Amino acid sequence: MINYTIPKRDMMFVLFELLDYEQHLQTLSGPEALSRDVVEAIVDECGKFCENVIAPLNSSGDKEGCHWQDGVVTTPKGFKEAYQQYVAGGWPSMTHPVEYGGQGLPVSMETLVSDMVGAANWAWGMYPGLSHGAMHTLSMHGTDEQKSTYLTKLVAGEWTGTMCLTESHCGTDLGMLRTKAEPQGDCSYTISGSKIFISAGEHDLTENIVHIVLARIPGAPEGTKGISLFIVPKFLPDEAGAVGPRNAVSCASIEHKMGIHANATCVLNFDGAKGFLIGEPNRGLHYMFTFMNNARLGTAVQGLSHAQLGFQKSLSYAKERLQSRSLSGVKNPAGPADPIIVHPDVRRMLLTQKAMAEGGRMLAYSTALLVDKDACASDEDQRKEASELLALLTPIAKAFMTETGFECASLALQCFGGHGYIQEWGVEQNLRDSRIAMLYEGTTGIQALDLLGRKILMTQGESLKRFTKIIHKYCKSQEGNDQMAEFIEPLAAKNKEWGELTLHIGMKAMSNPDEVGAAAVDYLMYSGLVTFAYWWARAAEVALAKQDEAFYAAKLTTARFFYQRLLPRTLSHAAAMKTGVDGLLALDAEHFSFE
Amino acid sequence: MINYTIPKRDMMFVLFELLDYEQHLQTLSGPEALSRDVVEAIVDECGKFCENVIAPLNSSGDKEGCHWQDGVVTTPKGFKEAYQQYVAGGWPSMTHPVEYGGQGLPVSMETLVSDMVGAANWAWGMYPGLSHGAMHTLSMHGTDEQKSTYLTKLVAGEWTGTMCLTESHCGTDLGMLRTKAEPQGDCSYTISGSKIFISAGEHDLTENIVHIVLARIPGAPEGTKGISLFIVPKFLPDEAGAVGPRNAVSCASIEHKMGIHANATCVLNFDGAKGFLIGEPNRGLHYMFTFMNNARLGTAVQGLSHAQLGFQKSLSYAKERLQSRSLSGVKNPAGPADPIIVHPDVRRMLLTQKAMAEGGRMLAYSTALLVDKDACASDEDQRKEASELLALLTPIAKAFMTETGFECASLALQCFGGHGYIQEWGVEQNLRDSRIAMLYEGTTGIQALDLLGRKILMTQGESLKRFTKIIHKYCKSQEGNDQMAEFIEPLAAKNKEWGELTLHIGMKAMSNPDEVGAAAVDYLMYSGLVTFAYWWARAAEVALAKQDEAFYAAKLTTARFFYQRLLPRTLSHAAAMKTGVDGLLALDAEHFSFE
C-alpha cells in the first residue's frame, strides 16, 4: 500500500505564489492576518496528523465499515482515537467564532485542512466535516442561547452535527418533504418523520450529536416555502449544558454502500423528538442554502482529494512496476523491463490526474478566498463581487471537480493494470469512494441546472460576464508576452466562445425552457474546462518567470498538457450542447425499450 | 431490485434485419444452417435460464462472494445448481465439434448466449465462459488423445477449463514469465511456478478443472519465443478417463476485488504438477494468441452486458421515480411530481446508454459473423477477408465497448441519484463489475497499441483501408437518399478523416515510435466512434424503411442521438491525438511530483 503524503509544495505554490494569500488576509476585517510562517506551521501540523494518524486508517476503515446494532453505531477501529487527537489539536474550532471558543481564523484555512484530511481518509473526515455545516448554520441563524448551548460544544468538538434534509421519496425535490414539526407552546416543537442518507447521523465518536433538521410546521404553505429548520439534539442538554435525557431520535439502520464504508449513512427516525426552531418559520430552505454552497465547495474538494490520492498511488507504482520495453528503445538496461512510466500512454494517464488535481486545487483555494471575502471583506463592493462570483463558481467547482475526480480515480486504477482491481493497493477503494461526490449535495445534473438556469440565464448572463471579464482582462494584460501566447490565445478564444454559447442557448431557452436542461451538463463541463484553463494560464505565468527550477518546469509542462490534451474536450461539449433538446425528447417514455 | 429481461427484439433486429443471419449461415461450410425459428427458440430457452435462474443470483452472489478455505473454494449459494441446469440444457456443448459430443452450431451463437448470460450475471457466466478458451485451444492444437481425454469432458460441461498466463511480476509482458516445465522423458512435464489472476481457477461446480498453462522448458529461448503451452488437470484422468489422482496444483488464495465477487480469482501454485505439452515446444504464445482474440471479443460483450443491464435498471427507475417538475410544464398533474424521465438530462443519460448498448450489440454480432467466416467460410477469399477484418476490429470492440460499458454503468447509477450508491438497486454492483473489463485480456492501452501499431501501421494502413473501404462503399450506395443524408454526410467525413489521422500519426511514428503510444488511446476511441457510427447508419437505413412502427422510430431517434451527441467526441480525440508525444515525455519521471 502506497500511503498519502501531503503535497505541501503544491499547496504553498497556490496560496502564496498564485493567490498572494498574505495580501488577501490583510484585506479581511475580522479574522487574524496570518503570516506565511504560521500558515505553513498549521499545514505541517495538520499534515502530520493526516499522514500518520488517519491515512493509515483509510483502508482498514473501508474493510471493516461501520456496525449497527439496536440503534447503536460503532465506527471502525481507531476512528474514535483519531477523532480525540483531532479535537486535542484544536482542529474543529479553527475557523469558528472566538466568543464560542473558536480560534477565529479565516474560513479559507478549512479548505487547506480539507484538501489534506480528504485525501488521507475521506470517510473519516466526514464526521468532523459535517459539523461545519451545522456550526455555520447556527452561527448565522441561531439565537444567542442556541449558540451558547450548541455552538460552543460543536466548536470544541465535544459534539458533532448533521444536516437532515433527504427523505426516501424526496432528495432533489425538497418541496415534497413530510417530516412534521408541531409547536408545543413552550418554544419547542415535536418532530416526527423519517430522514435518510444522513451522513454521520449516528456514531460513537462523541457523547452527543446535534441534528439540524428540515421539517414542516402544520398549516405552513405547501412546497419549498413551508419548510422550517430545527435543532434536534440526540441528547437534550441539561441546565448546565451537559448531556441530559435521550431525545426521541434513533438510527433505524445504516446503508450498505458502494464506498465510504467507514462513514455511517443513517436512516434516522424522529418519533416525536423535541426540536427547537432556528430563525423564523418557513425560512428553512433559505437558511439551508446559505450553508449548501459551503457544502458544495466542500464536496468539490472531495474530487480534488481522490484525484490527488490516486495520482500519488499510480505515480509511485508507475515508477516501480517493470513491464515491457519503451517503444523508442530500452530505458532501464539493468532491469528485466522498463518501468511503465516510460510509456507515453501511462504518462497521459498520470498527467491527466496531475493536471486535474492541481487545477482543482487552484480553483478550490481561489474559491475559498472568495468565501473569506464574502464573509468579511472590509470593502462592501469587494464583498458583493465575491458573493456573486462565488455563486457562479460553486456549481462549476462542485460538478466539474467531482466528475473529473472520479475520472482520475479510474485512471489511477488503470495505471495498475489488473492489480488495480484488487483491494490491496487502495486504488479501487479510491474509485468507489469518489463516486458518491457526483451525487450528494446535488447531482451533477442539478449543479448544471443551477449554473446555467439560475445563476447565468436568470441574471441575463451578468453573472457569467463578471467572470469572463476577469479572464478577458487577464488575457489583455498578457498581450505582447510571447512566451504566454500558447496559453493566452486559446484561453481568449474559449472565453469568447463561452459567452457566445451562453447567448445561443439563452435565446433557444426563451422559446423552450427544456433547452436549458438539454444543454446544462455539457455546458457545465465546458465551463469547468475554461475555468481550469484560466488557472493553468495563471500558473504558467508564475512558472515561466522561474522555469529554471524543476518544480516550475513541471508546472509549465502540466499547463501545456492541459491545453493540448484536455482543453480540446470543449470541442465535443460545444458541439453536443448546440444540438438542442429535440433529439432528447423525441422518444415517448414507453418507447425507450421493447422486449 | 429491477431484474434483467432479455432484449429479444433488439437481438433479432440485429441478427435478421441488419445482418441477414440466415443468409450468412448458408455461406458457411461445417456448421448447420439454422433457421430463424430455431435461433429464436434457442434464444428463448437461454433467455428463460438467464432471467429465472442466474439473474436472481447476481446480487446475492456479489454479497456472498466466494469462500476459500485450505485450498478449497466454495462458490455462492445457488451457483452450483445453476451450473447443473446449464449443463443439463446442453449449453456448454453448443458450438463445439460433434465428434467430441458438441452440437456443432456456428460460433456466433456463443455471442448471443454471452450477451444474455453476461447481463444476467457476469460473474457466474465466467465459470462456463472460461472453458470456451480451453476448448478452442484444445480443438485447434491438441492431439486426438488430448481431445478425447479433455475436450470431451469440457464439451459435456463435466469439467471446466482455465487459461493460466499471468504471474505476479508479469501480465502484459509475458516474455518475463518464469513457470518451469521440465520434461520427464515420458511425454509428460513437471510444472513448477505460481500463477495469479486465474479466473475460475478453483471452484466447486465441477469434479475437475483443466488448466491450460504457459510455462518455459529449460533451455528454451529467452522472452516470448521460449514459452510453451501445457495441459495441467487438477485431477489426473485415470485409464477410463474418469477423475484419478490429485495433481500438484493448488489454490493458495483468492483475490479480494472491487467487483465480480462471485467469481473466484485465484493464485494457483504448481508444485511439480504433471503437465502435457500442447502442440510444439516454444509455440505457446502463438497458440495463446489465436485464443486471445476470442477472449477479447468475449470481453467486448462484457461492456455491452453492463451497458444493457444498467440501461434497463435506470430506465425503469426513471419512469417510476417522481421528483421535481418538468421545466416546460407539469407532465404528471395527477402525481406530486413528474417522473424524472421528463428531464432532458435524464434522457441524455438514458439515450447514451441505449446508443452504446445497442451499438455495441451491432458491433459484437457483426464481429461474431466474422469469427464464423474466419473459421468456416466456404470461400477462401471470404475467409481471408474476415480474418483480417477481425484482426482490426477486435481491439476496437474490446477497448471501446468496455470503456463505454463502464461509462454507461456510471450513467445508470447517476440516474438513481443518491439511491444509486446504495447496494439495494444493483447499479453500484454493475459499475464495480464493469470496471474489470478495461483491464483483463489486455488493458485499453494495450488494445490501442495493438490496433494502431501492430494492426494498422505495421500493415502500412492496409488493414484499416479494408474497413474504411466498406464504409466508403456503403456511403456511396446511399448517395441520393435524402433521408439518409444526416447520417451519410458525417459518416463519410469521419471515415475520410480516420484515414488522414492515421497517415498523420504514421508519418510521425516513422521518426519516433513513441508517437504511436502517445496517440493510441485517443485513436482507438476515435475508431470506436466511427465504427459505431457506421452501424448506427446501417440501423437507421433499416429503420427508415419501416419508421411507422414505434420500434423503428426509436431506432432512428437513437441513431440521431448518436450522431448529434456522441459522435462529436471524435473532435476532442482528433485534437488530442494530433498534439503528439513531446508534451507527454517532457517531464523527467522524478519531476512528476514534489513534496
Side-chain angles (χ1 to χ4, degrees):
Chain A
M1 178 77 71
I2 296 143
N3 268 325
Y4 171 67
T5 310
I6 67 160
K8 189 180 167 192
R9 181 99 200 245
D10 285 324
M11 295 169 71
M12 296 303 116
F13 171 80
V14 177
L15 275 185
F16 296 106
E17 298 186 66
L18 196 66
L19 298 177
D20 202 350
Y21 193 53
E22 277 179 303
Q23 163 62 21
H24 160 77
L25 295 174
Q26 304 285 350
T27 67
L28 305 180
S29 70
E32 242 182 296
L34 307 168
S35 68
R36 175 163 181 162
D37 284 351
V38 174
V39 172
E40 288 207 34
I42 292 172
V43 166
D44 287 339
E45 205 52 41
C46 184
K48 270 186 240 162
F49 173 76
C50 291
E51 292 175 0
N52 304 328
V53 181
I54 57 173
L57 300 174
N58 195 28
S59 168
S60 58
D62 175 66
K63 288 199 186 90
E64 186 183 338
C66 290
H67 300 284
W68 178 97
Q69 193 164 19
D70 302 330
V72 175
V73 171
T74 311
T75 57
K77 205 173 152 219
F79 270 45
K80 189 169 180 169
E81 293 71 19
Y83 184 77
Q84 286 161 350
Q85 273 188 258
Y86 186 78
V87 169
W91 298 107
S93 66
M94 191 173 64
T95 61
H96 295 284
V98 175
E99 57 191 307
Y100 298 102
Q103 301 170 54
L105 299 193
V107 180
S108 52
M109 289 298 293
E110 214 65 74
T111 302
L112 271 69
V113 169
S114 177
D115 182 0
M116 296 179 277
V117 168
N121 191 332
W122 185 264
W124 182 90
M126 286 176 73
Y127 291 105
L130 266 289
S131 283
H132 289 298
M135 288 192 264
H136 288 304
T137 306
L138 288 169
S139 281
M140 290 187 67
H141 309 293
T143 63
D144 287 347
E145 196 198 326
Q146 286 170 344
K147 288 183 201 173
S148 70
T149 307
Y150 299 100
L151 187 55
T152 315
K153 293 289 193 183
L154 290 167
V155 167
E158 287 179 46
W159 300 353
T160 61
T162 71
M163 306 298 302
C164 303
L165 290 74
T166 306
E167 300 178 7
S168 63
H169 64 292
C170 69
T172 298
D173 191 359
L174 287 170
M176 296 205 286
L177 77 77
R178 295 182 193 137
T179 298
K180 255 194 323 200
E182 294 189 275
Q184 297 303 298
D186 63 347
C187 95
S188 80
Y189 289 74
T190 297
I191 314 287
S192 308
S194 187
K195 296 282 180 182
I196 66 164
F197 296 168
I198 309 308
S199 298
E202 179 60 46
H203 59 75
D204 56 359
L205 304 184
T206 53
E207 56 173 14
N208 202 5
I209 300 173
V210 181
H211 304 293
I212 308 289
V213 182
L214 284 181
R216 202 179 276 289
I217 300 170
E222 286 201 0
T224 55
K225 289 182 177 147
I227 298 173
S228 305
L229 197 59
F230 299 88
I231 303 170
V232 186
K234 177 177 163 187
F235 289 96
L236 293 158
D238 66 17
E239 301 233 325
V243 160
R246 176 75 193 236
N247 203 354
V249 48
S250 60
C251 176
S253 62
I254 59 176
E255 304 290 353
H256 299 280
K257 307 184 298 290
M258 182 181 193
I260 55 166
H261 291 162
N263 198 277
T265 306
C266 303
V267 174
L268 288 186
N269 288 342
F270 297 87
D271 299 309
K274 198 184 262 286
F276 308 95
L277 184 68
I278 299 177
E280 292 169 36
N282 303 333
R283 299 269 293 156
L285 224 54
H286 173 74
Y287 301 149
M288 198 54 112
F289 268 104
T290 53
F291 136 83
M292 272 295 269
N293 276 337
N294 285 349
R296 285 175 176 179
L297 290 173
T299 310
V301 175
Q302 183 175 2
L304 158 58
S305 295
H306 295 299
Q308 179 69 38
L309 183 61
F311 173 62
Q312 289 190 357
K313 284 177 184 279
S314 55
L315 172 60
S316 170
Y317 188 80
K319 286 179 179 172
E320 282 165 22
R321 173 76 174 172
L322 303 180
Q323 201 77 176
S324 303
R325 292 294 184 183
S326 162
L327 288 183
S328 56
V330 171
K331 301 290 186 289
N332 174 35
D338 291 336
I340 60 171
I341 198 169
V342 305
H343 304 303
D345 191 58
V346 171
R347 284 170 172 259
R348 176 188 64 82
M349 296 193 282
L350 291 171
L351 282 164
T352 302
Q353 296 175 66
K354 183 173 167 68
M356 290 302 189
E358 295 174 13
R361 182 167 295 112
M362 294 189 262
L363 178 55
Y365 287 16
S366 61
T367 317
L369 267 55
L370 294 175
V371 174
D372 281 348
K373 285 186 188 158
D374 180 31
C376 43
S378 34
D379 178 292
E380 179 58 32
D381 284 349
Q382 272 202 4
R383 191 180 297 201
K384 188 162 174 282
E385 163 92 6
S387 168
E388 290 175 353
L389 264 177
L390 199 54
L392 177 81
L393 292 171
T394 298
I396 297 177
K398 196 281 183 183
F400 186 74
M401 287 171 62
T402 59
E403 290 278 339
T404 54
F406 176 69
E407 177 194 350
C408 288
S410 184
L411 288 174
L413 190 157
Q414 192 71 15
C415 290
F416 282 74
H419 294 269
Y421 201 65
I422 308 299
Q423 285 178 7
E424 188 180 347
W425 295 95
V427 281
E428 66 85 30
Q429 178 193 346
N430 192 50
L431 179 58
R432 286 187 288 102
D433 287 353
S434 76
R435 189 60 185 81
I436 184 67
M438 292 137 80
L439 300 165
Y440 59 16
E441 309 299 346
T443 62
T444 299
I446 293 300
Q447 304 300 325
L449 277 182
D450 180 50
L451 173 69
L452 181 55
R454 247 167 56 97
K455 301 288 168 62
I456 295 182
L457 296 181
M458 272 196 195
T459 65
Q460 314 289 325
E462 278 311 311
S463 144
L464 176 64
K465 269 184 215 146
R466 192 165 288 112
F467 187 50
T468 52
K469 234 184 239 171
I470 293 175
I471 300 181
H472 179 73
K473 270 193 198 164
Y474 176 68
C475 290
K476 282 277 168 200
S477 78
Q478 296 297 313
E479 267 179 13
N481 183 346
D482 290 348
Q483 282 189 301
M484 282 294 287
E486 62 179 304
F487 306 110
I488 296 304
E489 278 171 25
L491 177 61
K494 288 293 160 193
N495 195 42
K496 185 159 168 283
E497 188 187 49
W498 195 2
E500 290 161 358
L501 289 167
T502 309
L503 195 65
H504 175 80
I505 297 159
M507 296 296 284
K508 286 205 286 192
M510 280 164 48
S511 56
N512 182 357
D514 270 336
E515 292 285 357
V516 178
V521 168
D522 280 301
Y523 183 88
L524 185 139
M525 296 304 286
Y526 181 100
S527 306
L529 288 160
V530 180
T531 305
F532 270 41
Y534 167 65
W535 284 110
W536 271 117
R538 295 273 311 266
E541 189 198 349
V542 174
L544 272 168
K546 301 177 175 175
Q547 65 172 301
D548 48 321
E549 252 191 76
F551 176 81
Y552 299 105
K555 280 276 173 285
L556 199 55
T557 301
T558 313
R560 285 193 181 120
F561 174 84
F562 182 86
Y563 271 79
Q564 290 179 357
R565 291 262 173 177
L566 302 178
L567 190 57
R569 294 180 183 188
T570 48
L571 298 171
S572 350
H573 290 301
M577 79 177 89
K578 281 195 265 189
T579 60
V581 77
D582 297 343
L584 296 175
L585 298 183
L587 272 187
D588 289 338
E590 66 267 33
H591 293 152
F592 265 76
S593 80
F594 299 83
E595 284 176 9
Chain B
M1 180 74 71
I2 296 144
N3 268 324
Y4 170 67
T5 311
I6 68 160
K8 189 181 167 192
R9 181 99 199 244
D10 285 323
M11 296 169 70
M12 296 303 116
F13 171 80
V14 176
L15 276 185
F16 296 105
E17 298 186 66
L18 197 66
L19 298 176
D20 202 350
Y21 193 52
E22 277 179 304
Q23 163 61 22
H24 159 78
L25 296 175
Q26 304 285 349
T27 67
L28 305 180
S29 72
E32 242 183 295
L34 306 167
S35 68
R36 175 164 182 164
D37 284 352
V38 174
V39 172
E40 289 207 33
I42 293 172
V43 166
D44 288 339
E45 204 53 40
C46 183
K48 270 186 239 162
F49 173 76
C50 291
E51 293 175 1
N52 303 328
V53 180
I54 58 173
L57 300 174
N58 195 28
S59 169
S60 59
D62 175 66
K63 288 198 186 91
E64 186 183 338
C66 289
H67 301 285
W68 178 96
Q69 193 165 18
D70 302 329
V72 175
V73 171
T74 312
T75 57
K77 206 174 152 220
F79 270 47
K80 189 169 181 170
E81 294 72 17
Y83 184 77
Q84 285 160 349
Q85 272 189 258
Y86 186 79
V87 169
W91 298 107
S93 66
M94 191 171 64
T95 61
H96 294 285
V98 176
E99 55 191 307
Y100 297 102
Q103 301 169 55
L105 300 193
V107 180
S108 51
M109 289 298 292
E110 214 64 75
T111 301
L112 271 70
V113 168
S114 177
D115 182 359
M116 296 180 276
V117 168
N121 191 331
W122 185 265
W124 182 90
M126 287 175 73
Y127 291 103
L130 266 290
S131 283
H132 289 299
M135 287 191 265
H136 288 304
T137 306
L138 288 170
S139 280
M140 291 187 66
H141 309 293
T143 63
D144 288 347
E145 195 199 327
Q146 287 170 344
K147 288 184 200 172
S148 71
T149 307
Y150 299 101
L151 188 55
T152 315
K153 293 290 191 181
L154 290 167
V155 167
E158 286 178 48
W159 299 354
T160 61
T162 72
M163 304 300 301
C164 302
L165 291 73
T166 306
E167 300 178 8
S168 64
H169 65 291
C170 69
T172 297
D173 191 359
L174 287 170
M176 297 203 286
L177 76 77
R178 295 181 195 139
T179 298
K180 256 195 321 203
E182 294 189 274
Q184 298 303 299
D186 65 347
C187 94
S188 80
Y189 289 75
T190 297
I191 314 286
S192 308
S194 187
K195 296 283 180 180
I196 66 165
F197 296 168
I198 309 308
S199 298
E202 179 59 47
H203 59 75
D204 56 358
L205 304 183
T206 53
E207 58 174 13
N208 201 6
I209 301 174
V210 182
H211 304 293
I212 308 289
V213 183
L214 285 182
R216 201 179 277 290
I217 299 171
E222 286 202 0
T224 54
K225 290 183 176 143
I227 298 173
S228 305
L229 197 58
F230 299 88
I231 303 170
V232 185
K234 176 177 165 187
F235 289 96
L236 293 159
D238 64 16
E239 303 234 324
V243 159
R246 176 74 193 238
N247 203 353
V249 48
S250 60
C251 176
S253 62
I254 58 175
E255 305 290 353
H256 298 280
K257 307 184 298 290
M258 182 181 193
I260 53 165
H261 291 162
N263 198 277
T265 306
C266 303
V267 175
L268 288 186
N269 288 342
F270 297 87
D271 299 308
K274 196 185 264 290
F276 308 95
L277 183 69
I278 299 177
E280 293 169 34
N282 302 333
R283 298 270 293 155
L285 224 55
H286 173 74
Y287 302 150
M288 198 54 112
F289 268 105
T290 54
F291 135 85
M292 272 296 268
N293 276 335
N294 285 349
R296 286 175 175 178
L297 291 173
T299 310
V301 175
Q302 183 175 3
L304 157 58
S305 293
H306 294 299
Q308 179 70 37
L309 182 62
F311 173 61
Q312 289 191 356
K313 285 178 183 278
S314 56
L315 172 61
S316 170
Y317 188 79
K319 286 179 180 174
E320 281 165 23
R321 173 76 173 172
L322 303 180
Q323 201 77 175
S324 303
R325 292 295 185 184
S326 162
L327 289 182
S328 56
V330 172
K331 301 291 185 290
N332 174 34
D338 291 335
I340 61 172
I341 198 170
V342 304
H343 304 303
D345 190 57
V346 172
R347 283 170 173 260
R348 176 187 64 82
M349 296 192 282
L350 291 171
L351 282 164
T352 302
Q353 296 176 66
K354 185 174 165 69
M356 290 303 190
E358 295 174 12
R361 182 167 296 112
M362 293 190 265
L363 178 54
Y365 288 16
S366 61
T367 317
L369 267 55
L370 295 175
V371 174
D372 280 348
K373 284 185 189 159
D374 180 31
C376 42
S378 34
D379 176 293
E380 180 57 34
D381 285 349
Q382 273 202 6
R383 192 181 295 203
K384 187 160 176 282
E385 163 93 6
S387 169
E388 290 175 354
L389 265 177
L390 199 54
L392 176 81
L393 292 171
T394 297
I396 298 178
K398 197 283 183 182
F400 186 74
M401 287 172 63
T402 59
E403 290 278 337
T404 54
F406 176 68
E407 177 194 349
C408 288
S410 184
L411 288 173
L413 190 156
Q414 192 71 14
C415 290
F416 283 75
H419 293 270
Y421 201 64
I422 309 299
Q423 285 178 6
E424 188 181 349
W425 294 95
V427 280
E428 67 84 30
Q429 179 195 344
N430 192 51
L431 179 58
R432 286 187 287 102
D433 287 353
S434 77
R435 188 61 185 81
I436 185 66
M438 293 136 80
L439 301 164
Y440 58 16
E441 308 299 347
T443 62
T444 299
I446 293 300
Q447 303 301 322
L449 278 182
D450 179 51
L451 173 70
L452 181 56
R454 246 166 57 97
K455 302 288 168 64
I456 295 182
L457 296 181
M458 273 197 195
T459 64
Q460 315 289 324
E462 279 310 311
S463 144
L464 176 64
K465 269 186 214 142
R466 193 165 286 111
F467 187 51
T468 52
K469 233 183 240 173
I470 293 175
I471 300 181
H472 178 73
K473 270 193 198 164
Y474 176 68
C475 290
K476 281 278 169 198
S477 79
Q478 296 297 312
E479 265 179 16
N481 183 346
D482 290 348
Q483 281 189 300
M484 281 295 287
E486 63 179 303
F487 306 110
I488 296 304
E489 279 171 25
L491 177 60
K494 288 293 160 195
N495 194 43
K496 186 160 166 282
E497 188 186 50
W498 195 1
E500 291 160 0
L501 288 167
T502 309
L503 195 64
H504 175 81
I505 296 159
M507 296 296 285
K508 285 205 287 191
M510 279 164 47
S511 56
N512 183 357
D514 270 336
E515 291 285 356
V516 178
V521 167
D522 279 300
Y523 183 88
L524 185 138
M525 295 305 285
Y526 182 99
S527 306
L529 287 160
V530 180
T531 306
F532 269 41
Y534 167 65
W535 284 110
W536 272 117
R538 296 270 312 263
E541 188 198 350
V542 174
L544 271 167
K546 301 177 177 176
Q547 67 171 298
D548 48 321
E549 252 191 76
F551 176 81
Y552 298 104
K555 280 278 173 284
L556 198 56
T557 301
T558 312
R560 286 194 180 119
F561 174 85
F562 182 86
Y563 272 79
Q564 291 179 356
R565 292 262 173 178
L566 302 178
L567 189 56
R569 294 180 182 187
T570 47
L571 299 171
S572 349
H573 291 302
M577 79 177 89
K578 280 194 266 190
T579 60
V581 77
D582 297 344
L584 296 175
L585 298 183
L587 272 186
D588 289 337
E590 66 267 36
H591 293 153
F592 266 76
S593 81
F594 299 82
E595 283 178 12

